[in-house]
Amino acid sequence: MLVSARKGLLFLFISSVVLLFPAPSDGSSNSTVNLNQSHNKTGHPLEMTPKVLFQLKLHALFHWSSFGFLMPVGIILARMSSKSKSGRCIRVLFYCHVISQIAAVLLATGGAALSLMNFENSFSNSHQRVGLALYGFIWLQPIIGFFRPERGVKIRSLWYFLHWLLGIAICATGVTNVYIGLHTYHERTTKNMKLWTGLLTFELSLLVFLYLLIDRWSYMMKQGNAPIEQLRPTDNRRTYPTTLRKELGMVQE
């Protein structure tokens, strides 16, 4: 039954990815813009149509929501499930992790579709090249996740390490590319991106702090309690201070 559920989720994921890609447009569309040229012959910034600007903002929003929010949240949820001792809580956190990561992949795919269908992509800058590599790896990661081995199988440890390492690498690279994208948008439009860069940094700082807090929360809560060794004797014999033992010995004599 578990295998059937995984296959159903995988089919739903693939179907959603296919539906995200719009129909190819003809070459007469005036919404295509060369993002590799930032200035015209007069040296002034290129003017972009409102439609192109909207598509750029939507592209940025999709990737910010994916790499800058949902993927880090998914990592935090996985961390919480590893620290939880309740079976029901672990299942809930696991499915929330799966849902958040699928949503992140779908949003990133939507951003990729906008870029490939509406923008001129010569992959001559770092933002486009890193984005192209990310598009491949983000589709590989959920497939690896769906086909995870059962607990107790020897290959499970290797699978867990690869899944964890690839997830962290995708998230970190994606966040870096969002920063690069904000800088690229500033170069193309001359608009000030300091506010959005600051908001992204503030949000990510909160998520990193939460991740570290979850890792140390149980240890921090134990600091207010006395160690068990101090509350219970190390053996069955009652221990007394040295002077009291001497007095008890004299009374017994």
Side-chain angles (χ1 to χ4, degrees):
M1 184 175 181
L2 182 60
V3 176
S4 300
R6 290 181 187 176
K7 290 182 178 179
L9 288 173
L10 181 61
F11 176 76
L12 179 62
F13 168 73
I14 295 175
S15 301
S16 302
V17 170
V18 173
L19 291 175
L20 275 174
F21 284 96
S25 56
D26 55 19
S28 61
S29 176
N30 60 0
S31 65
T32 302
V33 60
N34 187 350
L35 297 180
N36 301 311
Q37 298 177 353
S38 57
H39 296 81
N40 55 20
K41 295 181 180 179
T42 62
H44 298 291
L46 290 173
E47 293 185 2
M48 298 185 179
T49 63
K51 184 177 182 179
V52 170
L53 288 174
F54 173 76
Q55 290 171 343
L56 283 173
K57 292 177 181 178
L58 193 61
H59 170 82
L61 177 63
F62 279 4
H63 283 187
W64 183 327
S65 302
S66 174
F67 297 110
F69 182 71
L70 286 174
M71 285 190 181
V73 167
I75 294 174
I76 291 174
L77 291 171
R79 191 66 170 178
M80 291 174 63
S81 66
S82 67
K83 297 292 182 179
S84 178
K85 296 181 180 179
S86 170
R88 181 179 181 183
C89 184
I90 291 174
R91 287 192 298 271
V92 171
L93 290 172
F94 170 76
Y95 284 114
C96 289
H97 165 80
V98 173
I99 293 171
S100 66
Q101 299 306 81
I102 290 178
V105 172
L106 294 179
L107 284 173
T109 304
L114 282 173
S115 176
L116 294 174
M117 297 296 177
N118 298 296
F119 309 143
E120 200 274 324
N121 295 278
S122 62
F123 302 102
S124 60
N125 58 62
S126 57
H127 180 66
Q128 292 178 344
R129 289 193 292 265
V130 173
L132 180 63
L134 282 172
Y135 296 152
F137 284 112
I138 60 174
W139 294 327
L140 176 64
Q141 177 72 337
I143 296 176
I144 294 175
F146 281 125
F147 291 100
R148 68 187 187 280
E150 298 294 337
R151 289 185 180 273
V153 181
K154 291 183 178 181
I155 200 176
R156 171 82 179 204
S157 299
L158 178 61
W159 169 88
Y160 180 85
F161 175 76
L162 292 176
H163 185 65
W164 170 81
L165 183 63
L166 184 59
I168 294 294
I170 290 173
C171 183
T173 307
V175 168
T176 302
N177 209 34
V178 172
Y179 278 108
I180 297 175
L182 290 174
H183 179 70
T184 303
Y185 185 82
H186 165 70
E187 290 183 339
R188 301 300 184 261
T189 63
T190 69
K191 292 185 178 181
N192 194 339
M193 291 287 104
K194 290 183 178 180
L195 174 62
W196 295 107
T197 303
L199 289 175
L200 178 60
T201 303
F202 177 73
E203 175 208 321
L204 292 173
S205 299
L206 288 180
L207 293 175
V208 171
F209 173 75
L210 181 59
Y211 179 86
L212 297 175
L213 182 63
I214 292 171
D215 185 48
R216 306 304 297 174
W217 180 258
S218 59
Y219 179 80
M220 184 173 62
M221 290 294 99
K222 293 178 182 178
Q223 298 304 302
N225 300 327
I228 298 177
E229 294 81 12
Q230 296 181 8
L231 300 178
R232 297 179 181 177
T234 56
D235 52 18
N236 294 328
R237 294 179 297 176
R238 189 179 298 274
T239 58
Y240 300 95
T242 305
T243 55
L244 182 57
R245 288 203 303 269
K246 291 181 179 180
E247 293 177 0
L248 289 175
M250 293 175 61
V251 171
Q252 292 175 357
E253 291 177 357

